[in-house]
Amino acid sequence: MSMLRGRRDTSRVTLHTFIPGTNWHGSVLWLVLLAVCLILPAAASATSADEVFAAGEQSAAGSAEEQAAAQPADDPAEEPASEPVVEPVEFAPVTESSVVLPPETEAVEQYAVPPTGVEWMPLSITVSELCLPTDIDEMINYLAEGYFQPDPEMTIEEALATAVTYNHDLNSRRLAAAAACQGIDVQWADLLPQLSLSAKGYWTDNDASSEPITIPIEGQDPVVIDLSGGAQRDFHQQLALSLTQRIYDFGLTNDLIDVAESQHAIKKYTVDMTEQQLVYNVITAYYQFNLALGQARVRDDELKLSRELLRQAEIQYEVGVVPRLDVIRAESRVEQARSNFIAAQSQVGDAAAYFYSLLGVEDQRYVPGVIHAALTEIGPAPVDVNTAIDLALYYRPELALQYAALDAGSAAKNLTRNRPILNAYANAAYMDPANSTVHESYEYGLQFMWNLYTGGSDRAKLKQEELNMKSITESLYHLESQIELDATTAWNKVIAARSSADAARKTLELASEAHRAAAVGYSAGVTPYIDYLNALDQNVAAALGYLFALADVKIAQTNLSRAMGFPFGYSGDCRADSPGDVDIYTTLGLDDHSFLVGE
């Protein structure tokens, strides 16, 4: 693409008319039409500057062609002596290498670095670039240009292993499940002998005052006996040992154990649900970070191209080829591109922060590494929709959790029965009151306890638990339908995303070619600014659309695996019925899973 060059002196501006062999009449006509193009927008607001300029260019070209046809090629036109000679301006040939930004061009400003330490280093490009490669390997290399990965980085496999181990929410669920498991041991312990010891020591104050006793003696004074001893304080000691053994409780302990086991199952399946959602979130965050990185790369090129477009518009305006409106539009485009670039940088930082928050580690602020090409492949088609639904109904932990809740409701219903309890017991007591002999006592036997009447609370509790079980049953039916819906919609999204990725690739190829042609035409002065601006916007939109389409495929595939309950497993999977620890390619659906069809 060529640069427009002009020669200016103190008396006039000489312009090339783009029409070889034109005489002075054509030049005068061109200048008149150019003046009309600049004056008409102020006189007639209904006609745009671009339309008048295009009409003037066509009129000048038509007049020049008629004069050139009427005059022999070897007989140059005679010019009056009074007219000055118009000196044409030489143009450089239009080539791809002629549009490289010169070193003195103002560089793109460095904006604030995101909190995660991600840095974006702008590169020098040509005005015909912003062509996101459709080849996967070339695209990854293009997106990684200018990006320096801060330490420490983390691969997607390492991220899954770290998150499954250290995520705080997941560990909280695991601890809750462990606490529920201890509840089972608590109920079993009620069947073992219960031994208790009690000891007590205390003081008592006694007021022993009473009326004196008088004994009369004949011929003598009566004898008076005073039995009042005054206040007395005594110290008492007691020691008791009790042994109790449950003989028979008519199934009460078994029902309590069933309730505890059901509660533990609920907590365990809650762990599975949280873990699978975490796996989905980590994979999604990994792709979203790389997607944000790609957006920043595209927006960076967009800003550079907008600056180059502004530079060319200012040059063409100085030589009078384009109106001032083109320069204003180019300045506005630069500001818009700058705003887009700042927003893209912010998205990179936000995506990195979200990824870090899922890991649960505090010592290092890990950020995802640049994804490699193998993880962006479309991969084989998913299993058919009916198989996806069957796998979801078998593997989804939500369904198992609902069945565990139903078992807990059945056990709670059994607990409402009023039943007697038969215990064996043995007691031993030791007492040492003050000013008395030591006393010991022993007792053993059987104890039968039964609340014969509870005021109707047993019947009310039974009705309550029956209603709870009916509610859980209805919720179970609803959950099955929701899982079928979830699996179906996830499967449809995968199919749509795979088709959209191919369409987005073709759209990008066409938009890139149109943008290259528009860039060459605008630099040569034959393409209006509006056409080039539309081509630039369409190319940017197509580049971003292709990035989103590729990321949507992988996220949709991960969502389908989540909707089916991750039947193919994932890194760190510890389920009893899982296929074991698998690589990320299996989790993302990049391997053939035909062996699962029909299971």
Side-chain angles (χ1 to χ4, degrees), residues 560-577:
L560 177 59
S561 295
R562 178 206 57 78
M564 295 188 298
F566 286 97
F568 317 128
Y570 50 85
S571 179
D573 190 359
C574 58
R575 294 172 296 176
D577 55 351

Side-chain angles (χ1 to χ4, degrees), residues 342-493:
I342 295 175
Q345 279 194 321
S346 177
Q347 290 179 4
V348 173
D350 293 344
Y354 175 65
F355 173 83
Y356 168 74
S357 69
L358 297 173
L359 301 181
V361 293
E362 305 295 340
D363 55 335
Q364 296 286 352
R365 294 190 64 87
Y366 294 96
V367 296
V370 176
I371 200 167
H372 46 89
L375 291 177
T376 59
E377 296 291 342
I378 301 299
V383 297
D384 62 89
V385 64
N386 293 325
T387 303
I389 294 175
D390 293 338
L391 292 174
L393 293 176
Y394 181 80
Y395 284 100
R396 284 289 287 268
E398 295 93 332
L399 204 57
L401 184 148
Q402 202 70 8
Y403 278 111
L406 191 63
D407 293 339
S410 177
K413 176 183 176 182
N414 294 332
L415 282 177
T416 60
R417 292 187 300 167
N418 185 7
R419 66 197 92 189
I421 298 176
L422 180 63
N423 293 330
Y425 74 95
N427 298 326
Y430 169 82
M431 294 173 289
D432 184 16
N435 302 324
S436 179
T437 59
V438 176
H439 177 71
E440 297 179 357
S441 65
Y442 303 93
E443 180 183 357
Y444 55 89
L446 298 176
Q447 184 181 32
F448 183 81
M449 296 181 298
W450 192 3
N451 293 328
L452 296 179
Y453 183 68
T454 60
S457 62
D458 298 339
R459 182 175 299 178
K461 290 180 180 178
L462 178 61
K463 185 64 175 179
Q464 180 185 18
E465 296 302 331
E466 288 177 348
L467 293 176
N468 287 335
M469 289 188 63
K470 290 181 179 180
S471 174
I472 295 173
T473 303
E474 292 297 328
S475 298
L476 185 59
Y477 294 148
H478 175 71
L479 180 60
E480 289 180 350
S481 62
Q482 290 301 309
I483 289 177
E484 293 182 6
L485 176 62
D486 189 17
T488 303
T489 55
W491 188 87
N492 290 333
K493 289 180 180 178

Side-chain angles (χ1 to χ4, degrees), residues 42-339:
S45 58
T47 305
S48 65
D50 292 333
E51 294 174 347
V52 175
F53 182 77
E57 183 180 6
Q58 294 176 0
S59 300
S63 176
E65 291 175 358
E66 293 174 359
Q67 295 180 15
Q71 181 175 340
D74 56 350
D75 186 12
E78 296 183 358
E79 298 180 359
S82 59
E83 292 294 334
V85 179
V86 179
E87 299 179 359
V89 179
E90 298 180 357
F91 283 84
V94 177
T95 62
E96 290 291 333
S97 61
S98 63
V99 295
V100 180
L101 282 92
E104 61 273 10
T105 302
E106 182 181 359
V108 179
E109 295 88 354
Q110 294 294 317
Y111 298 99
V113 179
T116 56
V118 177
E119 296 180 358
W120 188 262
M121 305 298 294
L123 303 175
S124 60
I125 57 173
T126 64
V127 75
S128 63
E129 287 188 6
L130 189 60
C131 177
L132 180 67
T134 56
D135 180 75
I136 298 298
D137 293 319
E138 295 180 2
M139 181 192 68
I140 298 300
N141 294 333
Y142 166 83
L143 297 179
E145 289 180 357
Y147 170 67
F148 296 93
Q149 173 69 56
D151 294 329
E153 66 177 355
M154 181 172 285
T155 64
I156 191 170
E157 295 87 350
E158 295 171 343
L160 287 176
T162 302
V164 169
T165 303
Y166 297 105
N167 182 265
H168 298 301
D169 184 37
L170 181 58
N171 286 334
S172 174
R173 308 284 183 176
R174 287 170 175 164
L175 291 174
C181 183
Q182 291 299 316
I184 302 175
D185 297 336
V186 170
Q187 301 303 329
W188 275 111
D190 289 341
L191 296 178
L192 300 177
Q194 309 293 319
L195 183 63
S196 61
L197 175 66
S198 63
K200 182 171 66 173
Y202 60 94
W203 286 267
T204 59
D205 293 331
N206 298 320
D207 187 3
S209 62
S210 61
E211 294 293 332
I213 300 176
T214 303
I215 302 176
I217 300 176
E218 185 177 353
Q220 296 181 5
D221 294 335
V223 177
V224 179
I225 300 175
D226 189 3
L227 299 179
S228 175
Q232 296 181 357
R233 173 170 292 183
D234 298 331
F235 178 73
H236 301 267
Q237 303 177 54
Q238 291 184 4
L239 180 65
L241 184 66
S242 177
L243 177 65
T244 304
Q245 173 63 57
R246 181 167 295 184
I247 301 300
Y248 190 66
D249 57 7
F250 298 91
L252 176 62
T253 301
N254 290 332
D255 291 340
L256 292 173
I257 292 174
D258 290 342
V259 172
E261 289 178 344
S262 300
Q263 294 297 329
H264 173 253
I266 291 174
K267 299 295 184 181
K268 177 181 176 297
Y269 291 125
T270 302
V271 172
D272 293 341
M273 291 171 52
T274 305
E275 185 175 283
Q276 292 184 16
Q277 186 64 39
L278 177 63
V279 170
Y280 170 75
N281 291 340
V282 170
I283 296 176
T284 302
Y286 198 90
Y287 276 98
Q288 286 178 345
F289 174 82
N290 281 272
L291 177 61
L293 201 64
Q295 291 185 75
R297 179 72 170 91
V298 172
R299 294 301 186 183
D300 183 35
D301 285 354
E302 178 189 11
L303 179 57
K304 293 189 181 82
L305 289 174
S306 298
R307 288 181 175 277
E308 172 62 14
L309 177 62
L310 174 60
R311 188 180 69 84
Q312 292 194 18
E314 289 174 344
I315 293 175
Q316 295 187 34
Y317 172 71
E318 289 294 331
V319 298
V321 176
V322 298
R324 173 62 181 168
L325 182 59
D326 283 9
V327 178
I328 296 175
R329 288 172 175 171
E331 292 175 348
S332 175
R333 191 64 178 81
V334 169
E335 297 304 322
Q336 178 185 353
R338 180 185 291 111
S339 176

